Every structure is written in C-alpha cells, then in structure tokens.
C-alpha cells in the first residue's frame, strides 16, 4: 500500500521536486519542494536538502531573495555546510552585495579550502572590472588546487578580456 502519511507525502513531493530540478524545470521544482518543506514532516537532513535544492531553483528563476532565504534556512539547521555559503555568495554577488558575497565565500572556503575563496573573490574582481587582480587570484587558486576546470575557464576568460590570447588558449585547453 502507498505511504499516505505526512512523511510519505513530503518525501514524494521532495522526490518530484528533485526530479524537476534535474530536468531544469525550475518552476515545477520550486512548487514541489515548497510543498515538501511546508509538510514539516522531514528529518533535518532532508529538510536541509529541500531548502538547498529549492534555493538552486529560485536562483535559476531569478528569485534571489527566495534563494537567500532558503540557503539561510539550510544553514540555520546545518551551519557547517560550505556549499550553501559558496552558493549564497554567488547569489549575493548577483544582487550586487559584494561585501556579503565575500563574507560568505570566505566562510565557505574556510570549510572547503583556500582555493575556493580565491576563485570566488576573483569572480567578484571580474564583476568589478579588476581583471589583473582576478587573474592573480585565479592563478593562486590553481596553484593550490589544479583539479577544478572552472578555475582555468575563469582565468582564460579574464586573459581574453586582457587580450592575452595565447594564455587564454592554454587555460581553455587545460580545462
């Protein structure tokens, strides 16, 4: 027999929301994950996951305030969640809140390692037009962890903007 309990219904909505998120059907994901969270019948672990995934959906939909609220909700339950700090930093950056973005990036990076904070800070520099500073931070991040292709792509993009096409080409090939 199907599980018709509140917990079973919440899990079903979470599953539907997660499937929609994977399909990039963000409106559908937001709707199902909202029902999942509102059911208030989840373990802390599943509630954190639901908030985190709904935050991703809301970010993709341009609902930055909603994304911030959900990342914050996940962090209230599980403060040692570096990915939530790092993603929330991206949302703050999109909102033009560089100080908050930098603070969250640093907090998340302390949990994940120094390379992540350099990359996040470098991206803030790019958005602020500080291209030489960004290139330097991406270079430092690569020195700490050369296994992240996105860092090479980010530095390559900066090199293109600086018209250093040979260096950009090398980075894109390494990515």
């Amino acid at each position: 027999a199907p599980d018709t309990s509140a917990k079973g219904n919440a899990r079903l909505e979470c599953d539907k929301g997660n499937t929609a998120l994977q399909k990039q059907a963000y409106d559908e994901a937001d709707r199902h994950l909202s029902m999942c969270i509102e059911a208030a019948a989840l373990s802390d672990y599943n509630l954190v996951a639901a908030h985190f995934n709904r935050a991703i959906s809301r970010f993709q939909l341009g609902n930055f305030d909603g994304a911030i609220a959900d990342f914050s909700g996940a962090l209230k339950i599980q403060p040692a969640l570096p990915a939530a700090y790092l993603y929330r930093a991206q949302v703050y950056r999109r909102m033009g809140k560089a100080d908050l973005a930098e603070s969250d990036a640093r907090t998340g990076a302390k949990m994940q390692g120094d390379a992540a904070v350099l990359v996040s800070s470098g991206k803030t520099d790019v958005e602020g037009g500080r291209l030489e500073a960004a290139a330097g931070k991406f270079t430092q991040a690569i020195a700490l962890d050369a296994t992240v292709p996105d860092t090479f792509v980010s530095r390559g993009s900066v090199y293109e903007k600086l018209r250093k096409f040979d260096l950009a080409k090398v980075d894109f090939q390494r990515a």
Side-chain angles (χ1 to χ4, degrees):
D3 184 355
T4 58
S5 68
K7 190 174 187 176
N9 289 337
R11 269 197 230 122
L12 180 62
E13 292 301 328
C14 286
D15 289 345
K16 288 179 181 178
N18 293 334
T19 299
L21 180 60
Q22 289 173 346
K23 293 179 180 178
Q24 298 179 350
Y26 301 116
D27 283 320
E28 184 181 345
D30 182 61
R31 186 175 68 253
H32 286 294
L33 290 166
S34 292
M35 288 188 277
C36 165
I37 292 166
E38 290 163 13
L42 299 172
S43 67
D44 282 353
Y45 174 83
N46 288 325
L47 189 57
V48 167
H51 275 292
F52 187 90
N53 290 339
R54 186 171 71 174
I56 299 292
S57 294
R58 289 179 168 181
F59 175 75
Q60 293 297 331
L61 291 167
N63 178 355
F64 299 145
D65 290 331
I68 293 294
D70 272 321
F71 284 129
S72 298
L75 289 166
K76 186 175 182 180
I77 299 164
Q78 185 179 340
L81 189 63
Y85 286 105
L86 295 171
Y87 276 106
R88 192 171 69 177
Q90 291 179 19
V91 180
Y92 280 138
R93 192 177 302 111
R94 273 286 191 73
M95 295 171 79
K97 298 180 177 184
D99 290 346
L100 291 172
E102 193 69 25
S103 175
D104 269 5
R106 287 187 191 285
T107 300
K110 285 177 186 172
M111 295 174 195
Q112 264 196 345
D114 292 339
V117 75
L118 288 166
V119 170
S120 184
S121 183
K123 288 180 179 181
T124 299
D125 285 341
V126 169
E127 291 176 7
R130 298 175 299 276
L131 300 179
E132 291 290 347
K137 288 177 183 172
F138 293 139
T139 299
Q140 290 174 337
I142 289 167
L144 292 170
D145 183 3
T147 65
V148 183
D150 183 56
T151 308
F152 288 99
V153 172
S154 295
R155 188 174 69 176
S157 297
V158 168
Y159 282 153
E160 277 189 332
K161 290 175 184 172
L162 292 170
R163 306 190 61 75
K164 297 179 180 181
F165 299 112
D166 291 342
L167 293 172
K169 181 179 177 183
V170 170
D171 275 356
F172 292 137
Q173 288 171 342
R174 288 184 69 187

